[in-house]
Amino acid sequence: MDILYLMIVCSVSLAAIFLVVFIVYAKKGQFEDDESPAVRILFDDERVKEKDETGDKDKDDKEIGENNKN
């Protein structure tokens, strides 16, 4: 019976820790924008196609080079 009390205390403590962590990150704004990251990946290809159609190859090469610097 003692182990039951220990398990209840442990589970309630763990739940309280998760609740505190959730509240802290919610106040920091972690969960404010949940739709645009999923949609943003759909528009990346279209943006690249628009750059190719404008014919500004030098600008594209410069951007690619800057992003790949280590």
Side-chain angles (χ1 to χ4, degrees):
M1 194 69 173
D2 291 335
I3 191 72
L4 185 62
Y5 296 133
L6 178 67
M7 294 299 290
I8 290 172
V9 170
C10 289
S11 63
V12 170
S13 300
L14 187 62
I17 290 170
F18 282 125
L19 179 65
V20 168
V21 169
F22 175 76
I23 290 171
V24 167
Y25 281 114
K27 286 185 178 181
K28 287 184 178 180
Q30 180 74 26
F31 308 112
E32 285 182 6
D33 189 16
D34 59 346
E35 187 173 329
S36 69
V39 177
R40 188 180 313 140
I41 194 165
L42 300 174
F43 295 113
D44 284 342
D45 291 335
E46 291 180 14
R47 188 182 72 200
V48 171
K49 289 178 185 176
E50 290 174 3
K51 286 182 183 179
D52 289 342
E53 291 174 359
T54 60
D56 194 5
K57 300 285 183 186
D58 294 332
K59 185 177 180 184
D60 291 342
D61 292 338
K62 183 179 176 186
E63 288 177 2
I64 290 171
E66 288 177 359
N67 290 336
N68 290 331
K69 287 183 181 177
N70 289 330

